Amino acid sequence: MDSPITLFPWDNISHSVDEPLLRILHSGEIRQGFQVDLFEEKIGEYIGNRQILTTCSGTAALQLALRAGKIGYVNGGTIKDEVITTPMTCVATNMPIFGAGAIPVFADIHADTGLINVDSVEKKITRFTKAIICVHWGGLPCDMVNLREIAKKYNLLLVEDAAHAFGATEIGTQNNIGNHSADITMFSFQALKQITCIDGGALSIADPGIYRLAKLARWYGIDRDRAPIDSRHEEDIEEWGLKWHMNDVNATIGIEQIKFASFILDSQRHNASTISSNIDHDRFRPAFKKQALAHSSFWLFTILLRDQEDRLKFIKYMREKNIRVSQIHTRNDHQKVFAPFNRGSLPGVDSFFERMICIPVHYKLTPNDIDRITDALEGFNKETS
Ligand SMILES: Cc1ncc(COP(=O)(O)O)c(C=O)c1O
């Protein structure tokens, strides 16, 4: 059998990490310090916004975003605060809404892309709505121009879950995701993400006031910038917070990995383009429009099959070819924990979720791997036509 083609790079850490990592491990400076500052500077340089705060995970970053945006009764909002969000995502997008003491309200998505449908978002707005969370599925950017307009019109906090989308750019404006594309943008640097620091996340924040509060809240509300009276300076805490910060060990890995960001993005876009031009779009509909080839980060390459039965056959066929494919995430509205909050049908989610599957596109694929993937798709097409 051919060697396995994995969905994500098998070894996702550059060897250039080894030496700085060893140095930092034995430096006596392993907690949050200069390396965290430097990683934030590098993220800021890359996306074009200086107000960056790293965190211990993307999930923590989302929790911090809702904290600093004062969404949910835990964070100074009300017990009825609602957050409009997408169910087609990792549960990590929506669990923080519970953590904030707010109510998730699921909007529909576009059946052909999996991205949140702005018309549906507007229809779900009530007098209790406080925020919108959108997710750039697989790195494919949402319609930020219209989401910003809706958020402005109804005075809502706009939060982007860009866990999959580091390096993605808005279609139309060309703006980097995270460069004021929303009030707050969250990134994840978890192990499988294209830029990883093993576990970690970050917020890119547009408003200086939200940034200041988030900076306090990510470490128990303690102002680390104030001259310390003793080494922990815990006096006069005014805002509550938790331990959401990153440490210098993870930051050291992130600093090395982010050097490869452009290479990784270019490679994934190139792979996506090659695969896209070599498959039958009537049979395997890419879940993005052609112009997205230059904008998505292509953490995932999602295609749409005929129906659930077709997808099951496809998964089995690809397994025989030793090529990993996956749905990656399950629609959240069908999870028992979220089901009580459902409001009405979501036909876009129904259609997308039963047909979608993700195929490998990552930056470590070789030309031979790409040939094997496109050959396998062609083979499946012939066998099932
Ligand atoms: C869409 C989405 N949001 C949030 C997260 C959470 O990120 P983390 O694992 O860094 O907490 C993930 C993780 O994979 C994700 O896929």
Side-chain angles (χ1 to χ4, degrees):
M1 195 187 239
D2 287 320
S3 57
I5 297 180
T6 54
L7 200 48
F8 301 110
W10 189 246
D11 176 3
N12 199 13
I13 304 270
S14 144
H15 283 290
S16 67
V17 167
D18 301 357
E19 191 271 326
L21 186 59
L22 261 183
R23 194 161 12 96
I24 205 76
L25 278 175
H26 302 291
S27 68
E29 292 292 342
I30 53 177
R31 57 190 189 144
Q32 184 190 336
F34 295 123
Q35 296 298 107
V36 165
D37 293 346
L38 186 58
F39 188 30
E40 288 173 356
E41 209 177 294
K42 298 288 173 198
I43 297 166
E45 267 168 27
Y46 197 88
I47 62 172
N49 179 21
R50 297 259 159 215
Q51 297 193 132
I52 304 292
L53 294 171
T54 51
T55 52
C56 52
S57 72
T59 311
L62 274 177
Q63 188 100 57
L64 182 59
L66 297 178
R67 166 71 189 99
K70 300 187 176 165
I71 307 298
Y73 78 91
V74 169
N75 298 323
T78 78
I79 198 147
K80 292 190 169 169
D81 280 5
E82 294 177 358
V83 179
I84 299 179
T85 180
T86 169
M88 195 55 249
T89 184
C90 178
V91 291
T93 305
N94 293 318
M95 288 293 183
I97 301 173
F98 288 147
I103 298 166
V105 175
F106 293 120
D108 205 2
I109 60 172
H110 290 287
D112 55 348
T113 61
L115 301 182
I116 201 161
N117 179 327
V118 183
D119 292 335
S120 172
V121 169
E122 190 165 16
K123 286 192 190 118
K124 300 280 175 180
I125 292 173
T126 71
R127 65 197 167 98
F128 300 114
T129 307
K130 292 288 159 52
I132 302 168
I133 301 182
C134 65
V135 174
H136 306 302
W137 174 266
L140 184 66
C142 295
D143 175 2
M144 295 315 296
V145 170
N146 286 309
L147 281 168
R148 280 194 293 270
E149 203 176 298
I150 295 280
K152 196 169 168 205
K153 183 171 164 191
Y154 296 93
N155 193 25
L156 306 174
L157 183 82
L158 181 57
V159 179
E160 283 169 302
D161 177 335
H164 305 173
F166 188 83
T169 51
E170 285 184 36
I171 298 172
T173 67
Q174 317 285 331
N175 186 32
N176 288 341
I177 292 298
N179 183 8
H180 298 76
S181 43
D183 295 305
I184 309 181
T185 306
M186 171 279 245
F187 296 109
S188 164
F189 305 118
Q190 172 266 350
L192 295 176
K193 300 300 176 331
Q194 46 227 353
I195 306 299
T196 182
C197 64
I198 299 184
D199 251 325
L203 293 181
S204 174
I205 302 173
D207 175 74
I210 296 182
Y211 171 76
R212 268 195 302 277
L213 178 52
K215 198 170 180 183
L216 283 179
R218 86 167 155 178
W219 203 60
Y220 309 119
I222 298 170
D223 186 353
R224 297 173 65 105
D225 292 335
R226 261 198 354 222
I229 293 168
D230 67 19
S231 64
R232 283 187 67 89
H233 47 110
E234 285 178 9
E235 299 79 13
D236 282 343
I237 294 175
E238 289 171 33
E239 297 284 353
W240 82 268
L242 286 176
K243 197 167 188 288
W244 283 312
H245 68 86
M246 185 177 277
N247 63 55
D248 270 11
V249 177
N250 292 109
T252 300
I253 299 171
I255 291 164
E256 279 309 307
Q257 291 306 111
I258 204 171
K259 291 179 187 165
F260 299 96
S262 297
F263 165 76
I264 290 171
L265 286 156
D266 288 350
S267 306
Q268 292 182 173
R269 284 178 185 145
H270 173 79
N271 291 345
S273 184
T274 310
I275 293 170
S276 180
S277 53
N278 284 305
I279 60 175
D280 178 351
H281 286 207
D282 289 332
R283 184 66 179 92
F284 309 105
R285 249 197 44 69
F288 55 86
K289 304 218 166 57
K290 201 173 171 203
Q291 72 260 42
L293 283 168
H295 294 275
S296 173
S297 64
F298 283 106
W299 186 63
L300 301 174
F301 187 111
T302 311
I303 55 170
L304 300 171
L305 294 167
R306 290 175 181 148
D307 50 32
Q308 269 174 316
E309 196 187 328
D310 191 36
R311 179 171 57 197
L312 268 177
K313 278 190 206 150
F314 180 71
I315 293 170
K316 191 163 168 281
Y317 185 88
M318 295 302 269
R319 197 178 294 141
E320 280 161 12
K321 301 285 173 195
N322 219 2
I323 300 171
R324 302 287 178 268
V325 298
S326 168
Q327 290 173 249
I328 306 287
H329 297 306
T330 294
R331 57 185 297 177
N332 291 186
D333 57 323
H334 281 187
Q335 306 274 6
K336 281 197 185 73
V337 69
F338 291 110
F341 299 91
N342 287 337
R343 292 181 191 174
S345 62
L346 301 171
V349 181
D350 296 341
S351 169
F352 181 80
F353 185 63
E354 71 177 27
R355 294 181 302 141
M356 55 81 69
I357 193 88
C358 303
I359 61 176
V361 71
H362 64 79
Y363 68 96
K364 287 211 167 170
L365 294 179
T366 64
N368 184 49
D369 293 335
I370 306 270
D371 286 346
R372 275 181 57 199
I373 293 165
T374 52
D375 287 352
L377 265 69
E378 202 179 305
F380 182 72
N381 192 2
K382 279 197 189 125
E383 226 172 73
T384 55
S385 59

